[in-house]
């Protein structure tokens, strides 16, 4: 029964339930208050029922009814939509007769629990076919603990939806097994269940994994097989590293959420950086191999871009770890292995267009992070504002900054770059009629963002200046302004200390007259000696 005890939702339930019993809330666990404690702990009864059914023994057990039925972990869901009883009973005679009973009513369980039957929905599986390295994770849309971020009622995929998942997974698995950079056996061992979710993912597809649910991967519905393959590898890397960290320490401390991660909008702990570096090393490996085998020009450009983007992010995360992390001897050995693997890829050429797009988006990400999370002392910002008003040069020494975490606005530029590379015709249509094509769940993109993504930096610069005149606290517009400025003092200031330019601009604003021209202010700051 090892596979049942190691079933990902069982691990997620156990961790959540123990925290609740101890009165310690975890991320997203405010929703558990809607579930009575007896029903939360009673999930153990359903685990026991699944074990007994798998063993084929004679048994009888009382279980709780939840979300209109009873989930049997690792097997499937008994639908009791018309039942109002809070409990039910599962019985088996050990000879093939088994049913779920609610008072005088019953739902017979089929002899083959992998097959659909009236009132019975089995867990589906995805099948990645390969003669040596097959992969068949569950496609879990049923278990209340399948989404380790929060308890979730069953949301059964339709047959067409399930077929689309299978088609994309089969194609993605062929890509995983089709190159030498990736260990498909290791990836398969880390994929026990795939959970369809629909979390907003405006800049790139959503995926997630957790050490509490080994082998579980949350994924948004796939639209591209290569992106799905990269996501599977990404999360398998997280799963592997989580298992390794349970066995041996690689880093001491490092829990303070104060470090910049080039793949996240929020400050991260060093342990998070370690996870990100290892995960994106795997993603870089995938794109490095994929770009060498694709024949289509558009697909190759996408692969070159993703390779350039992910290798740069991985390298930047490595530098932060080397600068700040207290590594154990094994941790140092581990990081040296990562560095050796990445070193060769950092020297490989990438075509100018995809390389420039990756560099611009990495710069954009760093600028937005600073604008959101680095705060300038208001008193010092006021001194600089006074110097501006008096016509003096900007002070020589930049004011100190402090990390103050705030909510982050999402820039559309990464999504627009990916659209331009993957679907040039779709991008051209969006430029013509942005108001008719809200992109990826967002409002219609700014014309300035579309101009920038198309390479028209002159028009984009004018658009960002107009945007800031009307909305001076639009942080993505500030970052966009920095991206489009020509070389000179203004660009140097917005690239080197965007938070200072923003803080001084805020200090100079008048409630009715607004603030100074952002470019002129940035030039004044950048021209200081």
């Amino acid at each position: 029964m090892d596979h049942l005890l190691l079933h990902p939702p069982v691990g997620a339930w156990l961790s959540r339930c123990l925290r609740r019993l101890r009165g310690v809330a975890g991320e997203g666990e405010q929703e558990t208050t809607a579930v009575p404690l007896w029903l939360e702990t009673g999930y153990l009864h359903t685990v026991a029922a699944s074990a007994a059914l798998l063993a084929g023994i004679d048994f009888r057990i009382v279980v709780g009814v939840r979300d209109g039925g009873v989930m049997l972990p690792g097997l499937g869901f008994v639908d009791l939509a018309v039942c109002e009883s809070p409990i039910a009973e599962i019985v088996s005679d050990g000879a093939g007769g088994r049913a779920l009973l609610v008072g005088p009513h019953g739902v017979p369980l089929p002899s083959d629990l992998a097959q659909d039957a009236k009132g019975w929905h089995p867990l589906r599986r995805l099948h990645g076919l390969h003669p040596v390295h097959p992969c068949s994770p569950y496609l879990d849309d049923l278990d209340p603990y399948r989404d380790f971020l929060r308890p979730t009622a069953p949301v059964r995929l339709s047959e067409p939806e399930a077929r689309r998942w299978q088609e994309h997974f089969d194609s993605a698995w062929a890509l995983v097994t089709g190159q030498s950079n990736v260990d498909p056996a290791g990836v398969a061992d880390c994929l026990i269940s795939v959970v369809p979710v629909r979390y907003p993912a405006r800049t790139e597809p959503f995926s997630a994994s957790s050490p509490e649910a080994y082998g579980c991967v949350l994924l948004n519905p796939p639209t591209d097989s290569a992106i799905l393959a990269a996501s599977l590898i990404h999360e398998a890397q997280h799963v592997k590293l989580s298992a390794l960290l349970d066995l041996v320490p690689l880093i001491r401390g490092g829990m303070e959420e104060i470090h910049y991660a080039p793949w996240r909008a929020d400050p991260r702990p060093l342990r998070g950086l370690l996870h990100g570096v290892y995960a994106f090393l795997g993603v870089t490996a995938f794109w490095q191999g994929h770009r060498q085998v694709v024949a289509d020009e558009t697909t190759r450009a996408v692969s070159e871009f993703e390779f350039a983007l992910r290798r740069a992010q991985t390298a930047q995360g490595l530098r932060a770890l080397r600068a700040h992390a207290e590594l154990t001897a094994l941790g140092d050995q581990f990081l040296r292995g990562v560095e050796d693997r990445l070193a060769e890829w950092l020297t490989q050429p990438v075509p100018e267009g995809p390389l420039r797009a990756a560099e611009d988006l990495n710069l954009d990400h760093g600028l937005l992070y600073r604008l959101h999370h680095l705060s300038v002392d208001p008193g010092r910002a006021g001194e600089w504002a006074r110097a501006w008003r008096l016509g003096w040069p900007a002070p020589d020494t930049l004011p100190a900054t402090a990390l103050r975490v705030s909510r982050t606005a999402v820039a559309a530029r990464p999504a627009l770059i990916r659209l331009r590379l993957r679907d040039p015709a779709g991008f051209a249509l969006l430029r013509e009629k942005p108001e008719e094509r809200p992109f990826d769940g967002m409002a219609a993109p700014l014309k300035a963002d579309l101009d920038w993504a198309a390479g028209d930096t002159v028009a984009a610069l004018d658009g960002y200046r107009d945007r800031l005149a009307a909305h001076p606290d639009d942080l993505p517009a500030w970052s966009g302004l920095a991206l489009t400025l020509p070389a000179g003092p203004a660009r140097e200031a917005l690239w080197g200390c965007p938070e200072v330019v923003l803080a001084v601009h805020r200090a100079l604003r008048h409630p009715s007259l607004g603030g100074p021209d952002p470019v002129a202010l940035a030039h004044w700051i950048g021209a200081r000696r």
Side-chain angles (χ1 to χ4, degrees):
M1 298 299 161
D2 286 354
H3 75 282
L4 178 59
L5 294 177
L6 294 176
H7 188 52
V10 174
W13 161 77
L14 181 59
S15 297
R16 183 180 293 273
C17 193
L18 289 174
R19 283 195 296 269
R20 186 172 180 186
L21 290 170
R22 294 169 181 168
V24 179
E27 181 182 356
E29 292 187 351
Q30 62 273 17
E31 291 90 346
T32 61
T33 56
V35 180
L37 183 58
W38 70 266
L39 187 56
E40 190 103 66
T41 56
Y43 185 82
L44 179 61
H45 289 216
T46 64
V47 175
S50 289
L53 286 169
L54 290 169
I57 61 175
D58 182 3
F59 75 95
R60 179 182 295 265
I61 189 170
V62 174
V63 294
V65 176
R66 180 172 178 176
D67 300 318
V70 174
M71 181 68 205
L72 295 173
L75 297 176
F77 184 78
V78 185
D79 189 349
L80 299 172
V82 298
C83 170
E84 296 183 358
S85 172
I87 60 172
E89 193 174 30
I90 299 177
V91 298
S92 173
D93 60 11
R98 51 212 184 165
L100 186 141
L101 305 177
V102 183
H105 306 290
V107 177
L109 299 180
S111 57
D112 183 355
L113 293 174
Q115 297 298 316
D116 278 289
K118 185 177 181 180
W120 171 251
H121 303 297
L123 276 178
R124 298 183 178 107
R125 281 190 182 272
L126 295 169
H127 297 286
L129 303 179
H130 190 271
V132 180
H133 303 297
C135 183
S136 298
Y138 292 110
L139 180 63
D140 192 347
D141 51 7
L142 296 173
D143 199 289
Y145 296 100
R146 66 190 184 278
D147 182 343
F148 47 76
L149 297 176
R150 53 190 56 84
T152 307
V155 183
R156 189 65 162 171
L157 296 175
S158 67
E159 288 300 328
E161 288 174 324
R163 283 196 298 271
R164 283 194 293 273
W165 272 94
Q166 174 57 47
E167 290 166 1
H168 279 294
F169 186 83
D170 191 39
S171 298
W173 192 247
L175 296 178
V176 172
T177 58
Q179 55 166 291
S180 60
N181 277 346
V182 176
D183 171 24
V187 176
D189 287 343
C190 293
L191 295 179
I192 297 174
S193 67
V194 169
V195 176
V197 295
R198 291 188 177 274
Y199 291 132
R202 296 184 174 92
T203 59
E204 52 190 278
F206 173 87
S207 67
S209 54
S210 168
E212 295 178 351
Y214 179 90
C216 175
V217 174
L218 310 185
L219 287 170
N220 272 353
T223 58
D224 179 273
S225 298
I227 293 293
L228 176 57
S231 297
L232 294 174
I233 293 166
H234 176 105
E235 297 306 335
Q237 293 283 95
H238 279 306
V239 171
K240 282 191 286 185
L241 184 56
S242 293
L244 178 62
L245 290 172
D246 280 344
L247 299 174
V248 295
L250 302 181
I251 188 172
R252 297 186 180 92
M255 299 303 292
E256 303 83 4
E257 296 185 353
I258 59 174
H259 298 280
Y260 171 63
W263 48 80
R264 287 283 295 250
D266 51 336
R268 299 293 290 157
L270 287 171
R271 289 173 181 266
L273 281 183
L274 181 65
H275 259 282
V277 162
Y278 189 60
F280 282 109
L281 179 74
V283 175
T284 303
F286 170 76
W287 290 115
Q288 193 276 341
H290 190 59
R291 72 187 184 124
Q292 296 179 346
V293 298
V294 292
D296 178 72
E297 184 177 342
T298 298
T299 306
R300 188 183 304 112
V302 171
S303 302
E304 297 282 8
F305 162 76
E306 296 290 355
F307 169 66
L309 181 72
R310 299 313 187 185
R311 73 175 179 180
Q313 291 174 333
T314 306
Q316 190 167 359
L318 271 170
R319 290 193 293 271
L321 286 170
R322 282 301 186 192
H324 302 290
E326 183 182 356
L327 300 168
T328 65
L330 288 174
D332 180 68
Q333 180 181 347
F334 179 87
L335 219 56
R336 284 202 308 273
V338 173
E339 290 166 336
D340 291 344
R341 189 92 193 276
L342 186 64
E344 178 188 353
W345 297 335
L346 290 173
T347 66
Q348 294 181 357
V350 173
E352 175 63 24
L355 179 62
R356 177 64 182 275
E359 290 173 345
D360 284 347
L361 287 186
N362 274 325
L363 173 62
D364 191 18
H365 189 277
L367 293 173
L368 279 169
Y369 176 88
R370 296 185 66 150
L371 288 165
H372 280 107
H373 303 305
L374 296 188
S375 177
V376 177
D377 177 72
R380 292 301 310 281
E383 293 174 9
W384 283 57
R386 181 170 179 269
W388 166 273
R389 291 192 184 100
L390 293 174
W392 295 348
D396 292 338
T397 304
L398 287 173
T401 59
L403 180 67
R404 294 183 182 175
V405 179
S406 64
R407 294 185 64 184
T408 55
V410 177
R413 289 182 288 270
L416 293 175
I417 285 292
R418 285 188 166 93
L419 178 64
R420 192 200 77 197
L421 292 171
R422 296 179 189 283
D423 183 7
F427 178 75
L429 178 61
L430 185 62
R431 286 198 77 193
E432 291 178 7
K433 300 179 179 180
E435 71 285 351
E436 296 181 9
R437 287 270 310 268
F439 186 75
D440 198 18
M442 294 187 291
L446 294 178
K447 182 178 183 300
D449 285 336
L450 287 165
D451 289 337
W452 176 83
D456 190 348
T457 55
V458 174
L461 177 57
D462 291 339
Y464 289 128
R465 293 178 85 159
D466 291 343
R467 176 69 177 178
L468 289 173
H471 303 276
D473 278 318
D474 186 329
L475 301 190
W478 276 99
S479 182
L481 183 72
L483 292 173
T484 53
L485 281 172
R491 190 175 79 173
E492 289 178 13
L494 277 171
W495 283 24
C497 55
E499 68 281 355
V500 174
V501 181
L502 176 63
V504 177
H505 192 272
R506 284 172 171 166
L508 286 167
R509 285 180 208 159
H510 187 277
S512 58
L513 301 178
D517 173 39
V519 176
L521 180 63
H523 186 280
W524 176 73
I525 293 174
R528 74 191 189 287
R529 294 188 176 182

